[in-house]
Amino acid sequence: LIAFNCAQNNTAGSEKQTVESYRALAIRMARSHSVRSGRGKTLLSLALLSICGNAASATLISSGASGGPRRVSYWVSRLTTPDNATALINEIKANGGLNIASNFFLYCEDKILPNGTFVPGIVSPGCDAFTAQAKALGMGSERVIGGDIGGLRILFSNSTAAAAVITQMAALVKLKTLTGLSWDVEPTGTTYKDALAFGRFNQQLSAAIAGSGARVSVYSNAYSSIIADIADYASSVGAVLTGETYNGKDYPSWLANYESVAACFNKSCGPEAVAPTRSTVEAKRPSATLPPKMVPAMLASTERGTWNCDPAGMKQRVDRILTDGATELALFVLAPPNPSQSKRVNRPVAPPSISCITTWFPYAAAFINGTTAGL
């Protein structure tokens, strides 16, 4: 895959190199270096990426939810210092690196204010350190955008204000070498009309950052129509991170949520719409495939029940989404063990004592590898 991307994207020379030439280079390097370990494979990959240039790296880490290799993305919280960032990167490296992680959604306090302006985060040193270290490992970073519904509605109705904010966001993507921007807005009192306007705004934002190889993603849940009415905005974004798949006291109840949210890519599902039927038995979808932009999201803590942290339940969920052809899995949340700083944008972070993010690591690797055999 690296050889192919090098051949397609290399701009260092006057001519594009062939896949065969990079494949030959990979073979020579493999024969002269030990690549049996995960660390060895990572070093070899980084060496090849360095040789062929940043374009290949951008292609690898910006693959969207619908295409490219399977990948696992993590929300990352409490990046208050560079030391916190380094500690989390070291944890990822120690547990498999690219074998367990591909991309990160970073809470950096970026947000839309009530007056419709965009303010980049004030905790940039930690976020910047994390982004740089993740990029060095071949992993992508998307900064999370929060927002006030009043401010968002100003952008939806004022094209001048919207254009200014989109310009700022696109500049942030370039400046911080991001692979995307990810919305986490969950306001009450919204309707499908907000979701439609959200889609129109994101269509412009997606176009503005596409040239940087970046995407727009959205966290969704069933309680706020602006994000629950997935069908009204999905076409404008690269991925929808389905928060409804956080929930389930057991596999049948989780599966009901999973099937329900999958249906929301084709019909209105906001609170003001007729609620979809939620059965405790598996719905029968003829194709047994997910909507292309659906990214199942898992809550890696006991905040909503102990089953979320049951390894047997993790295996069941990974097996199911692999069967359905999912190409991306999102996990909430990776955070440094510092309970004294327990806030992120929008809601409290689960205390580390009830986190099971590390328990998820082997299942993240299984998803990337395409099988849970041996777990």
mmCIF file of all heavy atoms in Angstrom, residues 223-257:
data_model
loop_
_atom_site.group_PDB
_atom_site.id
_atom_site.type_symbol
_atom_site.label_atom_id
_atom_site.label_comp_id
_atom_site.label_asym_id
_atom_site.label_seq_id
_atom_site.Cartn_x
_atom_site.Cartn_y
_atom_site.Cartn_z
ATOM 1 N N TYR A 223 -30.637 12.588 20.273
ATOM 2 C CA TYR A 223 -31.337 13.547 21.133
ATOM 3 C C TYR A 223 -31.324 14.971 20.617
ATOM 4 O O TYR A 223 -32.088 15.801 21.085
ATOM 5 C CB TYR A 223 -30.726 13.501 22.536
ATOM 6 C CG TYR A 223 -30.644 12.088 23.057
ATOM 7 C CD1 TYR A 223 -29.418 11.453 23.194
ATOM 8 C CD2 TYR A 223 -31.793 11.366 23.359
ATOM 9 C CE1 TYR A 223 -29.347 10.135 23.647
ATOM 10 C CE2 TYR A 223 -31.729 10.055 23.798
ATOM 11 C CZ TYR A 223 -30.494 9.443 23.941
ATOM 12 O OH TYR A 223 -30.423 8.146 24.365
ATOM 13 N N SER A 224 -30.467 15.260 19.662
ATOM 14 C CA SER A 224 -30.367 16.604 19.119
ATOM 15 C C SER A 224 -30.567 16.523 17.612
ATOM 16 O O SER A 224 -29.757 15.933 16.898
ATOM 17 C CB SER A 224 -28.988 17.193 19.447
ATOM 18 O OG SER A 224 -28.852 18.484 18.928
ATOM 19 N N SER A 225 -31.648 17.096 17.116
ATOM 20 C CA SER A 225 -32.021 16.901 15.714
ATOM 21 C C SER A 225 -30.963 17.370 14.736
ATOM 22 O O SER A 225 -30.834 16.800 13.640
ATOM 23 C CB SER A 225 -33.342 17.622 15.415
ATOM 24 O OG SER A 225 -34.428 16.882 15.895
ATOM 25 N N ILE A 226 -30.198 18.383 15.085
ATOM 26 C CA ILE A 226 -29.202 18.888 14.149
ATOM 27 C C ILE A 226 -28.188 17.816 13.771
ATOM 28 O O ILE A 226 -27.638 17.812 12.675
ATOM 29 C CB ILE A 226 -28.487 20.135 14.734
ATOM 30 C CG1 ILE A 226 -27.623 20.812 13.666
ATOM 31 C CG2 ILE A 226 -27.677 19.787 15.963
ATOM 32 C CD1 ILE A 226 -27.027 22.126 14.109
ATOM 33 N N ILE A 227 -27.970 16.847 14.684
ATOM 34 C CA ILE A 227 -27.047 15.745 14.385
ATOM 35 C C ILE A 227 -27.765 14.401 14.266
ATOM 36 O O ILE A 227 -27.218 13.450 13.699
ATOM 37 C CB ILE A 227 -25.926 15.650 15.445
ATOM 38 C CG1 ILE A 227 -26.504 15.595 16.861
ATOM 39 C CG2 ILE A 227 -24.961 16.810 15.286
ATOM 40 C CD1 ILE A 227 -25.460 15.413 17.959
ATOM 41 N N ALA A 228 -28.995 14.314 14.787
ATOM 42 C CA ALA A 228 -29.751 13.060 14.704
ATOM 43 C C ALA A 228 -30.329 12.833 13.321
ATOM 44 O O ALA A 228 -30.467 11.690 12.874
ATOM 45 C CB ALA A 228 -30.880 13.051 15.733
ATOM 46 N N ASP A 229 -30.691 13.907 12.623
ATOM 47 C CA ASP A 229 -31.241 13.792 11.274
ATOM 48 C C ASP A 229 -30.106 13.586 10.269
ATOM 49 O O ASP A 229 -29.808 14.460 9.441
ATOM 50 C CB ASP A 229 -32.050 15.039 10.931
ATOM 51 C CG ASP A 229 -33.467 14.965 11.473
ATOM 52 O OD1 ASP A 229 -34.092 13.895 11.357
ATOM 53 O OD2 ASP A 229 -33.935 15.957 12.036
ATOM 54 N N ILE A 230 -29.467 12.442 10.367
ATOM 55 C CA ILE A 230 -28.263 12.150 9.589
ATOM 56 C C ILE A 230 -28.512 12.291 8.092
ATOM 57 O O ILE A 230 -27.674 12.808 7.348
ATOM 58 C CB ILE A 230 -27.738 10.744 9.930
ATOM 59 C CG1 ILE A 230 -27.321 10.685 11.398
ATOM 60 C CG2 ILE A 230 -26.565 10.365 9.034
ATOM 61 C CD1 ILE A 230 -26.985 9.288 11.895
ATOM 62 N N ALA A 231 -29.668 11.846 7.637
ATOM 63 C CA ALA A 231 -29.963 11.885 6.203
ATOM 64 C C ALA A 231 -29.937 13.302 5.646
ATOM 65 O O ALA A 231 -29.733 13.491 4.442
ATOM 66 C CB ALA A 231 -31.327 11.253 5.935
ATOM 67 N N ASP A 232 -30.116 14.303 6.511
ATOM 68 C CA ASP A 232 -30.170 15.687 6.050
ATOM 69 C C ASP A 232 -28.792 16.329 5.889
ATOM 70 O O ASP A 232 -28.697 17.412 5.322
ATOM 71 C CB ASP A 232 -31.004 16.536 7.018
ATOM 72 C CG ASP A 232 -32.487 16.190 6.952
ATOM 73 O OD1 ASP A 232 -32.927 15.728 5.890
ATOM 74 O OD2 ASP A 232 -33.183 16.367 7.961
ATOM 75 N N TYR A 233 -27.740 15.690 6.388
ATOM 76 C CA TYR A 233 -26.419 16.303 6.247
ATOM 77 C C TYR A 233 -25.313 15.325 5.842
ATOM 78 O O TYR A 233 -24.188 15.740 5.523
ATOM 79 C CB TYR A 233 -25.998 17.010 7.550
ATOM 80 C CG TYR A 233 -25.799 16.095 8.740
ATOM 81 C CD1 TYR A 233 -24.620 15.367 8.908
ATOM 82 C CD2 TYR A 233 -26.787 15.964 9.717
ATOM 83 C CE1 TYR A 233 -24.445 14.527 10.006
ATOM 84 C CE2 TYR A 233 -26.620 15.127 10.803
ATOM 85 C CZ TYR A 233 -25.446 14.416 10.949
ATOM 86 O OH TYR A 233 -25.270 13.588 12.028
ATOM 87 N N ALA A 234 -25.585 14.028 5.811
ATOM 88 C CA ALA A 234 -24.526 13.035 5.586
ATOM 89 C C ALA A 234 -23.798 13.234 4.262
ATOM 90 O O ALA A 234 -22.581 13.005 4.176
ATOM 91 C CB ALA A 234 -25.095 11.624 5.660
ATOM 92 N N SER A 235 -24.505 13.662 3.240
ATOM 93 C CA SER A 235 -23.864 13.810 1.933
ATOM 94 C C SER A 235 -22.797 14.893 1.923
ATOM 95 O O SER A 235 -21.946 14.927 1.027
ATOM 96 C CB SER A 235 -24.913 14.110 0.858
ATOM 97 O OG SER A 235 -25.539 15.361 1.104
ATOM 98 N N SER A 236 -22.809 15.773 2.918
ATOM 99 C CA SER A 236 -21.881 16.906 2.938
ATOM 100 C C SER A 236 -20.618 16.647 3.747
ATOM 101 O O SER A 236 -19.727 17.494 3.781
ATOM 102 C CB SER A 236 -22.593 18.144 3.510
ATOM 103 O OG SER A 236 -22.876 17.961 4.890
ATOM 104 N N VAL A 237 -20.527 15.500 4.412
ATOM 105 C CA VAL A 237 -19.388 15.221 5.289
ATOM 106 C C VAL A 237 -18.719 13.910 4.888
ATOM 107 O O VAL A 237 -19.267 13.113 4.113
ATOM 108 C CB VAL A 237 -19.815 15.168 6.772
ATOM 109 C CG1 VAL A 237 -20.430 16.498 7.194
ATOM 110 C CG2 VAL A 237 -20.784 14.023 7.035
ATOM 111 N N GLY A 238 -17.526 13.690 5.463
ATOM 112 C CA GLY A 238 -16.792 12.480 5.139
ATOM 113 C C GLY A 238 -17.150 11.298 5.996
ATOM 114 O O GLY A 238 -16.976 10.146 5.581
ATOM 115 N N ALA A 239 -17.639 11.559 7.215
ATOM 116 C CA ALA A 239 -17.954 10.457 8.135
ATOM 117 C C ALA A 239 -18.936 10.932 9.187
ATOM 118 O O ALA A 239 -18.901 12.091 9.618
ATOM 119 C CB ALA A 239 -16.683 9.943 8.806
ATOM 120 N N VAL A 240 -19.813 10.017 9.615
ATOM 121 C CA VAL A 240 -20.734 10.264 10.720
ATOM 122 C C VAL A 240 -20.399 9.257 11.820
ATOM 123 O O VAL A 240 -20.470 8.041 11.615
ATOM 124 C CB VAL A 240 -22.204 10.119 10.295
ATOM 125 C CG1 VAL A 240 -23.128 10.368 11.489
ATOM 126 C CG2 VAL A 240 -22.532 11.088 9.158
ATOM 127 N N LEU A 241 -20.011 9.770 12.978
ATOM 128 C CA LEU A 241 -19.580 8.950 14.113
ATOM 129 C C LEU A 241 -20.799 8.702 14.983
ATOM 130 O O LEU A 241 -21.276 9.602 15.670
ATOM 131 C CB LEU A 241 -18.480 9.687 14.885
ATOM 132 C CG LEU A 241 -17.430 10.397 14.005
ATOM 133 C CD1 LEU A 241 -16.524 11.288 14.850
ATOM 134 C CD2 LEU A 241 -16.631 9.400 13.191
ATOM 135 N N THR A 242 -21.329 7.504 14.947
ATOM 136 C CA THR A 242 -22.662 7.244 15.490
ATOM 137 C C THR A 242 -22.637 6.988 16.994
ATOM 138 O O THR A 242 -22.383 5.867 17.450
ATOM 139 C CB THR A 242 -23.308 6.049 14.771
ATOM 140 O OG1 THR A 242 -22.459 4.896 14.891
ATOM 141 C CG2 THR A 242 -23.498 6.367 13.294
ATOM 142 N N GLY A 243 -22.949 8.018 17.755
ATOM 143 C CA GLY A 243 -22.952 7.913 19.207
ATOM 144 C C GLY A 243 -24.007 6.981 19.765
ATOM 145 O O GLY A 243 -23.882 6.515 20.903
ATOM 146 N N GLU A 244 -25.047 6.672 18.988
ATOM 147 C CA GLU A 244 -26.054 5.739 19.479
ATOM 148 C C GLU A 244 -25.479 4.336 19.689
ATOM 149 O O GLU A 244 -26.026 3.545 20.442
ATOM 150 C CB GLU A 244 -27.242 5.672 18.523
ATOM 151 C CG GLU A 244 -28.222 6.805 18.696
ATOM 152 C CD GLU A 244 -28.748 6.893 20.121
ATOM 153 O OE1 GLU A 244 -29.584 6.063 20.511
ATOM 154 O OE2 GLU A 244 -28.313 7.793 20.859
ATOM 155 N N THR A 245 -24.365 4.038 19.020
ATOM 156 C CA THR A 245 -23.734 2.734 19.237
ATOM 157 C C THR A 245 -22.842 2.745 20.480
ATOM 158 O O THR A 245 -22.164 1.761 20.768
ATOM 159 C CB THR A 245 -22.928 2.289 17.999
ATOM 160 O OG1 THR A 245 -22.077 3.357 17.551
ATOM 161 C CG2 THR A 245 -23.864 1.897 16.879
ATOM 162 N N TYR A 246 -22.843 3.853 21.228
ATOM 163 C CA TYR A 246 -22.283 3.854 22.592
ATOM 164 C C TYR A 246 -23.120 2.958 23.512
ATOM 165 O O TYR A 246 -22.616 2.417 24.493
ATOM 166 C CB TYR A 246 -22.396 5.258 23.202
ATOM 167 C CG TYR A 246 -21.299 6.238 22.897
ATOM 168 C CD1 TYR A 246 -20.329 6.013 21.941
ATOM 169 C CD2 TYR A 246 -21.249 7.441 23.603
ATOM 170 C CE1 TYR A 246 -19.347 6.950 21.685
ATOM 171 C CE2 TYR A 246 -20.265 8.378 23.356
ATOM 172 C CZ TYR A 246 -19.316 8.141 22.395
ATOM 173 O OH TYR A 246 -18.352 9.071 22.154
ATOM 174 N N ASN A 247 -24.419 2.881 23.217
ATOM 175 C CA ASN A 247 -25.390 2.431 24.208
ATOM 176 C C ASN A 247 -25.802 0.972 24.034
ATOM 177 O O ASN A 247 -25.980 0.496 22.911
ATOM 178 C CB ASN A 247 -26.645 3.308 24.135
ATOM 179 C CG ASN A 247 -26.316 4.778 24.323
ATOM 180 O OD1 ASN A 247 -25.561 5.135 25.206
ATOM 181 N ND2 ASN A 247 -26.875 5.623 23.470
ATOM 182 N N GLY A 248 -25.989 0.294 25.164
ATOM 183 C CA GLY A 248 -26.475 -1.072 25.174
ATOM 184 C C GLY A 248 -26.087 -1.772 26.457
ATOM 185 O O GLY A 248 -24.915 -1.761 26.831
ATOM 186 N N LYS A 249 -27.067 -2.365 27.103
ATOM 187 C CA LYS A 249 -26.777 -3.082 28.343
ATOM 188 C C LYS A 249 -26.338 -4.517 28.062
ATOM 189 O O LYS A 249 -25.871 -5.237 28.938
ATOM 190 C CB LYS A 249 -27.990 -3.076 29.264
ATOM 191 C CG LYS A 249 -29.198 -3.856 28.741
ATOM 192 C CD LYS A 249 -30.360 -3.777 29.706
ATOM 193 C CE LYS A 249 -31.539 -4.648 29.296
ATOM 194 N NZ LYS A 249 -32.042 -4.387 27.962
ATOM 195 N N ASP A 250 -26.535 -4.937 26.787
ATOM 196 C CA ASP A 250 -26.119 -6.248 26.333
ATOM 197 C C ASP A 250 -26.077 -6.203 24.805
ATOM 198 O O ASP A 250 -26.389 -5.176 24.192
ATOM 199 C CB ASP A 250 -27.081 -7.345 26.823
ATOM 200 C CG ASP A 250 -28.537 -7.053 26.497
ATOM 201 O OD1 ASP A 250 -28.809 -6.341 25.501
ATOM 202 O OD2 ASP A 250 -29.415 -7.524 27.247
ATOM 203 N N TYR A 251 -25.673 -7.318 24.194
ATOM 204 C CA TYR A 251 -25.523 -7.308 22.741
ATOM 205 C C TYR A 251 -26.841 -7.062 22.001
ATOM 206 O O TYR A 251 -26.880 -6.245 21.064
ATOM 207 C CB TYR A 251 -24.873 -8.610 22.260
ATOM 208 C CG TYR A 251 -24.658 -8.650 20.766
ATOM 209 C CD1 TYR A 251 -23.735 -7.800 20.154
ATOM 210 C CD2 TYR A 251 -25.388 -9.520 19.961
ATOM 211 C CE1 TYR A 251 -23.539 -7.818 18.786
ATOM 212 C CE2 TYR A 251 -25.197 -9.553 18.587
ATOM 213 C CZ TYR A 251 -24.276 -8.698 18.005
ATOM 214 O OH TYR A 251 -24.092 -8.716 16.638
ATOM 215 N N PRO A 252 -27.954 -7.705 22.361
ATOM 216 C CA PRO A 252 -29.200 -7.433 21.626
ATOM 217 C C PRO A 252 -29.630 -5.963 21.671
ATOM 218 O O PRO A 252 -30.075 -5.408 20.658
ATOM 219 C CB PRO A 252 -30.225 -8.341 22.318
ATOM 220 C CG PRO A 252 -29.419 -9.465 22.860
ATOM 221 C CD PRO A 252 -28.132 -8.831 23.313
ATOM 222 N N SER A 253 -29.487 -5.305 22.835
ATOM 223 C CA SER A 253 -29.899 -3.899 22.910
ATOM 224 C C SER A 253 -28.926 -3.012 22.135
ATOM 225 O O SER A 253 -29.339 -2.029 21.500
ATOM 226 C CB SER A 253 -30.024 -3.443 24.363
ATOM 227 O OG SER A 253 -28.800 -3.561 25.054
ATOM 228 N N TRP A 254 -27.631 -3.354 22.169
ATOM 229 C CA TRP A 254 -26.671 -2.605 21.352
ATOM 230 C C TRP A 254 -26.998 -2.772 19.873
ATOM 231 O O TRP A 254 -26.996 -1.800 19.100
ATOM 232 C CB TRP A 254 -25.244 -3.088 21.623
ATOM 233 C CG TRP A 254 -24.254 -2.445 20.695
ATOM 234 C CD1 TRP A 254 -23.641 -1.238 20.854
ATOM 235 C CD2 TRP A 254 -23.800 -2.964 19.430
ATOM 236 N NE1 TRP A 254 -22.838 -0.964 19.763
ATOM 237 C CE2 TRP A 254 -22.916 -2.000 18.881
ATOM 238 C CE3 TRP A 254 -24.056 -4.125 18.717
ATOM 239 C CZ2 TRP A 254 -22.281 -2.184 17.648
ATOM 240 C CZ3 TRP A 254 -23.430 -4.305 17.473
ATOM 241 C CH2 TRP A 254 -22.553 -3.348 16.961
ATOM 242 N N LEU A 255 -27.314 -3.995 19.470
ATOM 243 C CA LEU A 255 -27.601 -4.271 18.063
ATOM 244 C C LEU A 255 -28.837 -3.513 17.593
ATOM 245 O O LEU A 255 -28.890 -3.032 16.456
ATOM 246 C CB LEU A 255 -27.781 -5.769 17.860
ATOM 247 C CG LEU A 255 -27.913 -6.258 16.419
ATOM 248 C CD1 LEU A 255 -26.675 -5.900 15.609
ATOM 249 C CD2 LEU A 255 -28.150 -7.764 16.382
ATOM 250 N N ALA A 256 -29.824 -3.384 18.468
ATOM 251 C CA ALA A 256 -31.014 -2.617 18.106
ATOM 252 C C ALA A 256 -30.654 -1.160 17.831
ATOM 253 O O ALA A 256 -31.150 -0.548 16.870
ATOM 254 C CB ALA A 256 -32.052 -2.712 19.225
ATOM 255 N N ASN A 257 -29.790 -0.581 18.660
ATOM 256 C CA ASN A 257 -29.347 0.795 18.429
ATOM 257 C C ASN A 257 -28.546 0.908 17.134
ATOM 258 O O ASN A 257 -28.692 1.872 16.366
ATOM 259 C CB ASN A 257 -28.489 1.271 19.605
ATOM 260 C CG ASN A 257 -29.299 1.478 20.862
ATOM 261 O OD1 ASN A 257 -30.485 1.775 20.808
ATOM 262 N ND2 ASN A 257 -28.674 1.302 22.015
#
